């Protein structure tokens, strides 16, 4: 029996794709290995969102070849798509796939094993108009399933290479999504995460449906108890969107609303399609219909041209919003994007701004969790580690409970006792005694 290790660098979409690739190999009789084990085939879903992502991709491709010099090494994903020459110059790589053709990786590997000739099937992703079918039916040891519903992005933010790596927006057929969710429910999954490169654009390419309509149909599927969304932009949040989602208890009270900057001048330079006022309107609308909602976000610090005043404005806006968590990213120039050619901010200044924003995030996170101390929240428990079961509430509070009961993949009521280092420590309710 041949073996394969399928591993993703970067985003949740990459992870979903790598899990689907592993499942495709398993169906052909391959034994699934971890990335640190010796395997006959390694499939690396590369990342190119930053130059550091490129570097990590190259390092991992070299590392797996050292693990097994006789292995077939496949470079797939965004870095392979945007910089074919860099991948072609790597003798460790046998097959180059890019962001299309991943549903044929098994066949490509078996062809290589037969011919021993390097394969390159990277195409022009900008010409793609159809969603490439790739699905997951079972995930060993997992309680949450990521379902890719959309690919591509047509936003062209000035700092981002992803539209060139993923091509234009393409939506997955609604019926195909529903069928996958039903299979996952039959396999015991209680929570699904609808993910994509630009989830908010779902249905805009074919005008047959939209994200809200899809969520309503997923909500009707028996066995699924939670529905999460990956990152969305504020423009999708309307009165109808927030009101209708609030009527569906399965929809998690957590939204990762992409901000990137709390300064309108910087947002314009980034080519973002909203203002701070529009963002706050979205936050207020979500909180109007879901008072316990968690709002998390991403903020880039040190974007080209960001002055001290611009940063203070962004910092003040983040404080005003009262996020439950902020993911902070010092700006990193990405070759091929307009922002990389703009005047850059000194790295020391970026580090100082990052530290301030991270400190604010930690304060806001503990403040949010403390707001639920003494309350009973339902937690889906995912794993046991160091004597504690760990899981997440609907509003994505990372919760720890000390118990001898086996509560993995169960949604159980927990009383929140305290906040500790960005997590909640709780105790099981008497209902389980």
């Amino acid at each position: 029996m041949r073996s394969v290790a399928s591993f993703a660098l970067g985003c949740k979409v990459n992870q979903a794709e790598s899990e689907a690739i592993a499942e495709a190999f398993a169906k052909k009789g391959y034994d699934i290995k971890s990335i640190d084990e010796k395997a006959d085939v390694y499939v690396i879903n590369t990342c190119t969102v930053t130059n550091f992502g490129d570097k990590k991709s190259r390092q991992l491709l070299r590392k797996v070849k050292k693990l097994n010099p006789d292995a077939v090494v496949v470079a797939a994903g965004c870095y392979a798509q945007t910089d074919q020459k860099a991948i072609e110059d790597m003798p460790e790589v046998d097959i180059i796939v890019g962001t299309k053709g991943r549903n044929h990786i098994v066949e490509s590997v078996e062809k290589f094993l037969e011919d021993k000739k390097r394969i390159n099937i990277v195409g022009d992703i900008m010409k793609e108009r159809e969603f490439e079918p790739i699905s997951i039916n079972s995930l060993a040891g997992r309680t949450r399933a990521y379902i890719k519903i959309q690919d591509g992005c047509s936003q062209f933010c000035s700092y981002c290479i992803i539209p060139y790596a993923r091509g234009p927006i393409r939506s997955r057929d609604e019926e195909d999504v529903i069928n996958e969710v039903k299979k996952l429910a039959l396999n015991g999954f209680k929570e699904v995460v609808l993910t994509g490169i630009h989830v908010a654009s779902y249905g805009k390419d074919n005008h047959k449906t939209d994200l809200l309509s899809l969520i309503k149909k997923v909500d009707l599927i028996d066995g699924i108890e939670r529905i999460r969304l990956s990152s969305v932009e504020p423009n999708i949040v309307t009165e109808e969107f927030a009101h209708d989602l609030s009527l569906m208890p399965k929809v998690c009270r957590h939204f990762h609303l992409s901000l990137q900057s709390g300064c309108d001048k910087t947002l314009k330079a980034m080519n973002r399609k909203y203002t701070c006022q529009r963002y706050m309107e979205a936050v207020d609308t979500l909180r109007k219909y879901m008072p316990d909602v968690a709002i998390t976000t991403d903020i880039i610090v040190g974007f080209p041209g960001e002055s001290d005043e611009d940063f203070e404005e962004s910092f003040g806006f983040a404080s005003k919003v009262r996020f439950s968590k902020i993911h902070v990213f010092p700006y990193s120039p990405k070759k091929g994007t307009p922002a990389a050619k703009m005047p850059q901010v000194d790295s020391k200044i970026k580090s100082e701004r990052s530290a301030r924003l991270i400190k604010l995030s930690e304060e806001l996170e503990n403040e949010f969790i403390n707001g639920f101390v003494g309350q009973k929240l339902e937690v889906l428990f995912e794993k046991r580690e160091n004597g504690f079961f760990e899981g997440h509430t609907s509003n994505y509070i990372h919760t720890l409970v000390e118990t001898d009961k086996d509560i993995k993949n169960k949604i159980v009521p927990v009383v929140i006792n305290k906040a500790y280092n960005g997590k909640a420590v709780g105790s099981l309710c008497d209902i389980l005694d």
Side-chain angles (χ1 to χ4, degrees):
M1 181 186 291
R2 290 196 178 108
S3 59
V4 63
S6 178
F7 187 81
L9 292 162
C11 66
K12 300 297 185 186
V13 178
N14 267 13
Q15 291 178 33
E17 291 166 349
S18 288
E19 287 164 353
I21 289 167
E23 189 169 299
F25 274 97
K27 286 178 180 176
K28 291 286 189 177
Y30 283 72
D31 185 28
I32 306 301
K33 300 284 188 180
S34 75
I35 195 63
D36 295 318
E37 294 181 293
K38 185 176 181 180
D40 299 311
V41 181
Y42 294 96
V43 182
I44 308 302
N45 210 2
T46 61
C47 175
T48 193
V49 71
T50 64
N51 292 335
F52 184 62
D54 295 349
K55 182 180 178 181
K56 283 182 70 175
S57 297
R58 292 191 299 270
Q59 287 175 338
L60 187 55
L61 289 164
R62 292 187 179 110
K63 178 185 174 182
V64 296
K65 195 67 170 183
K66 286 181 181 176
L67 271 176
N68 183 7
D70 297 323
V72 180
V73 176
V74 183
C78 295
Y79 182 45
Q81 180 69 46
T82 58
D83 199 344
Q84 286 182 64
K85 186 178 185 309
I87 300 294
E88 286 172 347
D89 288 344
M90 296 184 67
E92 296 88 355
V93 176
D94 302 301
I95 301 172
I96 310 171
V97 179
T99 55
K100 181 192 173 187
R102 280 166 295 197
N103 54 346
H104 298 300
I105 284 179
V106 179
E107 292 87 339
S108 296
V109 166
E110 294 183 343
K111 179 173 174 53
F112 177 84
L113 288 168
E114 185 178 327
D115 299 340
K116 300 297 182 183
K117 293 180 181 178
R118 177 181 256 193
I119 297 172
N120 185 339
I121 56 173
V122 178
D124 185 353
I125 200 65
M126 302 307 290
K127 293 181 179 179
E128 286 303 305
R129 295 296 182 270
E130 297 293 328
F131 182 91
E132 183 177 70
I134 188 166
S135 62
I136 308 165
N137 295 323
S138 63
L139 293 162
R142 291 279 296 276
T143 59
R144 180 185 297 121
Y146 290 90
I147 300 175
K148 182 180 170 185
I149 65 168
Q150 178 275 340
D151 207 341
C153 180
S154 301
Q155 298 295 296
F156 292 97
C157 298
S158 64
Y159 54 83
C160 187
I161 197 71
I162 297 306
Y164 306 96
R166 291 281 182 166
I169 57 172
R170 284 110 56 212
S171 300
R172 185 175 179 181
D173 181 73
E174 195 174 67
E175 187 177 348
D176 191 30
V177 175
I178 298 305
N179 287 336
E180 181 175 342
V181 176
K182 286 179 178 178
K183 289 175 183 176
L184 288 165
L186 289 173
N187 284 327
F189 285 89
K190 291 182 168 60
E191 181 176 314
V192 293
V193 184
L194 305 182
T195 190
I197 298 300
H198 192 255
V199 171
S201 68
Y202 179 77
K204 289 185 178 179
D205 52 324
N206 55 33
H207 305 289
K208 293 178 181 178
T209 183
D210 58 28
L211 183 59
L212 182 58
S213 298
L214 177 65
I215 295 169
K216 288 178 178 178
K217 291 179 180 177
V218 174
D219 183 66
L220 298 174
I221 296 173
D222 291 336
I224 296 300
E225 297 183 43
R226 284 187 176 179
I227 304 166
R228 278 191 200 279
L229 299 176
S230 62
S231 178
V232 293
E233 289 188 351
N235 289 334
I236 197 172
V237 181
T238 61
E239 286 281 334
E240 179 191 14
F241 184 83
H243 169 266
D244 288 5
L245 293 187
S246 72
L247 299 178
M248 293 180 267
K250 290 182 182 181
V251 174
C252 290
R253 272 41 182 167
H254 167 229
F255 293 86
H256 189 81
L257 274 189
S258 182
L259 175 60
Q260 307 305 355
S261 175
C263 169
D264 282 338
K265 173 191 157 192
T266 306
L267 286 174
K268 186 175 181 181
M270 290 176 167
N271 197 32
R272 301 294 284 178
K273 309 299 192 294
Y274 52 83
T275 62
C276 290
Q277 180 181 341
R278 175 66 188 95
Y279 190 97
M280 186 57 83
E281 287 170 359
V283 170
D284 290 342
T285 302
L286 287 170
R287 287 176 174 159
K288 172 184 173 182
Y289 290 102
M290 304 174 220
D292 59 344
V293 70
I295 308 289
T296 58
T297 200
D298 302 320
I299 295 181
I300 296 172
V301 297
F303 185 79
E306 183 186 64
S307 66
D308 289 341
E309 292 77 15
D310 296 336
F311 172 73
E312 293 300 334
E313 187 177 333
S314 186
F315 186 92
F317 185 77
S319 300
K320 180 182 176 183
V321 174
R322 313 310 289 175
F323 290 108
S324 60
K325 188 177 181 66
I326 303 169
H327 299 271
V328 182
F329 299 93
Y331 172 75
S332 175
K334 179 61 187 174
K335 183 181 176 182
T337 63
K341 300 175 183 177
M342 299 177 183
Q344 302 296 308
V345 174
D346 183 79
S347 59
K348 183 181 177 183
I349 294 174
K350 286 192 279 191
S351 296
E352 291 169 352
R353 292 175 183 174
S354 294
R356 282 187 60 195
L357 207 51
I358 289 168
K359 186 174 184 294
L360 174 65
S361 176
E362 291 169 350
E363 292 170 357
L364 294 176
E365 190 169 20
N366 281 315
E367 177 185 295
F368 181 75
I369 296 169
N370 277 320
F372 293 92
V373 169
Q375 293 188 36
K376 182 172 69 175
L377 302 179
E378 292 195 333
V379 179
L380 172 59
F381 285 97
E382 298 144 28
K383 63 180 180 179
R384 186 174 187 177
E385 202 167 275
N386 300 322
F388 287 88
F389 270 99
E390 300 184 30
H392 288 83
T393 63
S394 171
N395 55 2
Y396 214 60
I397 296 175
H398 190 161
T399 306
L400 308 179
V401 166
E402 190 173 13
T403 179
D404 293 327
K405 294 181 170 67
D406 184 7
I407 53 176
K408 183 176 179 180
N409 201 30
K410 293 180 181 177
I411 297 178
V412 297
V414 171
V415 174
I416 304 299
N417 298 326
K418 64 178 180 180
Y420 179 73
N421 287 342
K423 298 177 183 177
V425 179
S427 52
L428 297 182
C429 293
D430 295 338
I431 191 170
L432 288 179
D433 293 336

